[in-house]
Short mmCIF file of all heavy atoms in Angstrom, two decimals:
data_model
loop_
_atom_site.label_atom_id
_atom_site.label_comp_id
_atom_site.label_asym_id
_atom_site.label_seq_id
_atom_site.Cartn_x
_atom_site.Cartn_y
_atom_site.Cartn_z
N PHE A 1402 -8.35 -3.08 -12.92
CA PHE A 1402 -7.60 -4.33 -13.02
C PHE A 1402 -8.53 -5.54 -12.90
O PHE A 1402 -8.40 -6.51 -13.65
CB PHE A 1402 -6.52 -4.40 -11.93
CG PHE A 1402 -5.25 -3.68 -12.30
CD1 PHE A 1402 -4.91 -2.50 -11.67
CD2 PHE A 1402 -4.39 -4.20 -13.26
CE1 PHE A 1402 -3.73 -1.84 -12.00
CE2 PHE A 1402 -3.21 -3.55 -13.60
CZ PHE A 1402 -2.88 -2.36 -12.97
N CYS A 1403 -9.46 -5.47 -11.95
CA CYS A 1403 -10.42 -6.57 -11.77
C CYS A 1403 -11.25 -6.77 -13.03
O CYS A 1403 -11.48 -7.91 -13.46
CB CYS A 1403 -11.33 -6.29 -10.57
SG CYS A 1403 -10.54 -6.39 -8.96
N GLU A 1404 -11.72 -5.67 -13.61
CA GLU A 1404 -12.53 -5.76 -14.83
C GLU A 1404 -11.74 -6.36 -15.98
O GLU A 1404 -12.32 -6.99 -16.88
CB GLU A 1404 -13.05 -4.37 -15.20
CG GLU A 1404 -14.09 -3.82 -14.24
CD GLU A 1404 -14.37 -2.33 -14.44
OE1 GLU A 1404 -13.70 -1.73 -15.32
OE2 GLU A 1404 -15.23 -1.79 -13.74
N ALA A 1405 -10.42 -6.16 -15.96
CA ALA A 1405 -9.56 -6.69 -17.02
C ALA A 1405 -9.12 -8.12 -16.74
O ALA A 1405 -8.34 -8.70 -17.50
CB ALA A 1405 -8.33 -5.79 -17.20
N GLY A 1406 -9.61 -8.70 -15.64
CA GLY A 1406 -9.27 -10.08 -15.32
C GLY A 1406 -7.95 -10.27 -14.62
O GLY A 1406 -7.42 -11.38 -14.56
N VAL A 1407 -7.39 -9.18 -14.06
CA VAL A 1407 -6.11 -9.26 -13.35
C VAL A 1407 -6.39 -9.38 -11.85
O VAL A 1407 -7.02 -8.49 -11.27
CB VAL A 1407 -5.25 -8.01 -13.62
CG1 VAL A 1407 -3.92 -8.11 -12.87
CG2 VAL A 1407 -5.01 -7.82 -15.11
N PRO A 1408 -5.95 -10.45 -11.19
CA PRO A 1408 -6.18 -10.61 -9.75
C PRO A 1408 -5.54 -9.47 -8.95
O PRO A 1408 -4.43 -9.04 -9.25
CB PRO A 1408 -5.51 -11.95 -9.43
CG PRO A 1408 -5.44 -12.68 -10.73
CD PRO A 1408 -5.24 -11.60 -11.77
N VAL A 1409 -6.26 -9.00 -7.94
CA VAL A 1409 -5.80 -7.89 -7.10
C VAL A 1409 -5.70 -8.37 -5.66
O VAL A 1409 -6.64 -8.94 -5.12
CB VAL A 1409 -6.76 -6.69 -7.19
CG1 VAL A 1409 -6.38 -5.62 -6.18
CG2 VAL A 1409 -6.77 -6.11 -8.61
N CYS A 1410 -4.54 -8.13 -5.03
CA CYS A 1410 -4.32 -8.54 -3.64
C CYS A 1410 -3.68 -7.39 -2.86
O CYS A 1410 -2.85 -6.66 -3.41
CB CYS A 1410 -3.42 -9.76 -3.55
SG CYS A 1410 -4.09 -11.22 -4.37
N THR A 1411 -4.06 -7.25 -1.59
CA THR A 1411 -3.46 -6.23 -0.71
C THR A 1411 -2.90 -6.91 0.53
O THR A 1411 -3.55 -7.77 1.12
CB THR A 1411 -4.50 -5.17 -0.31
OG1 THR A 1411 -4.98 -4.50 -1.48
CG2 THR A 1411 -3.89 -4.14 0.63
N TYR A 1412 -1.69 -6.48 0.93
CA TYR A 1412 -1.01 -7.09 2.07
C TYR A 1412 -0.48 -6.01 3.01
O TYR A 1412 -0.26 -4.86 2.60
CB TYR A 1412 0.18 -7.94 1.60
CG TYR A 1412 -0.18 -9.04 0.65
CD1 TYR A 1412 -0.07 -8.86 -0.73
CD2 TYR A 1412 -0.62 -10.28 1.12
CE1 TYR A 1412 -0.40 -9.88 -1.62
CE2 TYR A 1412 -0.95 -11.30 0.24
CZ TYR A 1412 -0.83 -11.10 -1.13
OH TYR A 1412 -1.16 -12.10 -1.99
N LEU A 1413 -0.24 -6.39 4.26
CA LEU A 1413 0.51 -5.55 5.19
C LEU A 1413 1.99 -5.68 4.87
O LEU A 1413 2.46 -6.76 4.49
CB LEU A 1413 0.26 -5.97 6.64
CG LEU A 1413 -1.15 -5.73 7.20
CD1 LEU A 1413 -1.22 -6.25 8.63
CD2 LEU A 1413 -1.50 -4.26 7.16
N SER A 1414 2.74 -4.60 5.04
CA SER A 1414 4.15 -4.62 4.66
C SER A 1414 5.05 -5.28 5.69
O SER A 1414 6.17 -5.68 5.39
CB SER A 1414 4.65 -3.19 4.43
OG SER A 1414 4.74 -2.49 5.67
N ASN A 1415 4.54 -5.38 6.97
CA ASN A 1415 5.37 -5.91 8.06
C ASN A 1415 6.73 -5.20 8.12
O ASN A 1415 7.77 -5.83 8.28
CB ASN A 1415 5.56 -7.42 7.90
CG ASN A 1415 4.26 -8.18 8.11
OD1 ASN A 1415 3.48 -7.83 8.97
ND2 ASN A 1415 4.02 -9.19 7.30
N ARG A 1416 6.70 -3.88 7.92
CA ARG A 1416 7.87 -2.99 8.03
C ARG A 1416 8.84 -3.11 6.85
O ARG A 1416 9.89 -2.48 6.85
CB ARG A 1416 8.63 -3.22 9.34
CG ARG A 1416 7.78 -3.03 10.58
CD ARG A 1416 8.65 -2.84 11.81
NE ARG A 1416 7.85 -2.79 13.03
CZ ARG A 1416 8.25 -2.26 14.17
NH1 ARG A 1416 9.46 -1.72 14.26
NH2 ARG A 1416 7.48 -2.25 15.24
N LEU A 1417 8.52 -3.92 5.85
CA LEU A 1417 9.38 -4.00 4.67
C LEU A 1417 9.28 -2.74 3.83
O LEU A 1417 10.21 -2.38 3.10
CB LEU A 1417 9.01 -5.22 3.82
CG LEU A 1417 9.27 -6.59 4.47
CD1 LEU A 1417 8.74 -7.70 3.58
CD2 LEU A 1417 10.76 -6.78 4.72
N VAL A 1418 8.13 -2.06 3.92
CA VAL A 1418 7.91 -0.79 3.24
C VAL A 1418 7.38 0.20 4.27
O VAL A 1418 6.52 -0.14 5.07
CB VAL A 1418 6.89 -0.94 2.09
CG1 VAL A 1418 6.69 0.40 1.36
CG2 VAL A 1418 7.31 -2.02 1.11
N SER A 1419 7.92 1.41 4.29
CA SER A 1419 7.45 2.41 5.24
C SER A 1419 7.22 3.74 4.54
O SER A 1419 7.75 3.98 3.45
CB SER A 1419 8.45 2.59 6.39
OG SER A 1419 9.68 3.08 5.90
N PHE A 1420 6.41 4.58 5.17
CA PHE A 1420 6.18 5.92 4.61
C PHE A 1420 5.82 6.89 5.74
O PHE A 1420 5.50 6.47 6.84
CB PHE A 1420 5.11 5.91 3.54
CG PHE A 1420 3.70 5.61 4.01
CD1 PHE A 1420 2.63 5.78 3.14
CD2 PHE A 1420 3.41 5.16 5.29
CE1 PHE A 1420 1.33 5.53 3.54
CE2 PHE A 1420 2.11 4.90 5.69
CZ PHE A 1420 1.08 5.08 4.81
N ARG A 1421 5.92 8.16 5.43
CA ARG A 1421 5.44 9.21 6.32
C ARG A 1421 4.33 9.93 5.57
O ARG A 1421 4.56 10.52 4.51
CB ARG A 1421 6.56 10.18 6.68
CG ARG A 1421 6.14 11.20 7.73
CD ARG A 1421 7.27 12.16 8.08
NE ARG A 1421 6.83 13.15 9.04
CZ ARG A 1421 7.51 14.25 9.35
NH1 ARG A 1421 8.71 14.46 8.78
NH2 ARG A 1421 7.04 15.12 10.23
N MET A 1422 3.14 9.89 6.09
CA MET A 1422 1.97 10.32 5.32
C MET A 1422 1.81 11.83 5.22
O MET A 1422 1.63 12.37 4.14
CB MET A 1422 0.70 9.71 5.91
CG MET A 1422 0.60 8.21 5.74
SD MET A 1422 -0.92 7.52 6.44
CE MET A 1422 -2.16 8.12 5.29
N TYR A 1423 1.81 12.52 6.35
CA TYR A 1423 1.46 13.95 6.34
C TYR A 1423 2.47 14.78 7.14
O TYR A 1423 2.19 15.20 8.26
CB TYR A 1423 0.05 14.13 6.91
CG TYR A 1423 -1.00 13.41 6.09
CD1 TYR A 1423 -1.61 12.26 6.57
CD2 TYR A 1423 -1.36 13.87 4.82
CE1 TYR A 1423 -2.57 11.59 5.82
CE2 TYR A 1423 -2.31 13.20 4.07
CZ TYR A 1423 -2.91 12.07 4.57
OH TYR A 1423 -3.84 11.41 3.81
N PRO A 1424 3.62 15.07 6.55
CA PRO A 1424 4.63 15.86 7.25
C PRO A 1424 4.37 17.37 7.20
O PRO A 1424 5.09 18.14 7.82
CB PRO A 1424 5.92 15.52 6.49
CG PRO A 1424 5.46 15.24 5.10
CD PRO A 1424 4.12 14.58 5.24
N ASN A 1425 3.33 17.79 6.45
CA ASN A 1425 3.11 19.22 6.22
C ASN A 1425 2.05 19.85 7.10
O ASN A 1425 1.52 20.91 6.79
CB ASN A 1425 2.75 19.46 4.75
CG ASN A 1425 3.88 19.06 3.82
OD1 ASN A 1425 5.05 19.30 4.12
ND2 ASN A 1425 3.54 18.43 2.70
N GLY A 1426 1.71 19.20 8.20
CA GLY A 1426 0.78 19.84 9.14
C GLY A 1426 -0.54 19.09 9.28
O GLY A 1426 -0.92 18.27 8.44
#
């Protein structure tokens, strides 16, 4: 994306998005 000239940003979700990463052990 950066190479294509598209700005890239990363944010904390502040609980608006949640996930469970490794439920399989």
Side-chain angles (χ1 to χ4, degrees):
F1402 276 109
C1403 289
E1404 291 167 358
V1407 180
V1409 172
C1410 299
T1411 298
Y1412 302 96
L1413 292 178
S1414 71
N1415 292 322
R1416 303 197 186 201
L1417 293 175
V1418 181
S1419 63
F1420 68 170
R1421 186 180 178 193
M1422 292 180 71
Y1423 299 107
N1425 297 320

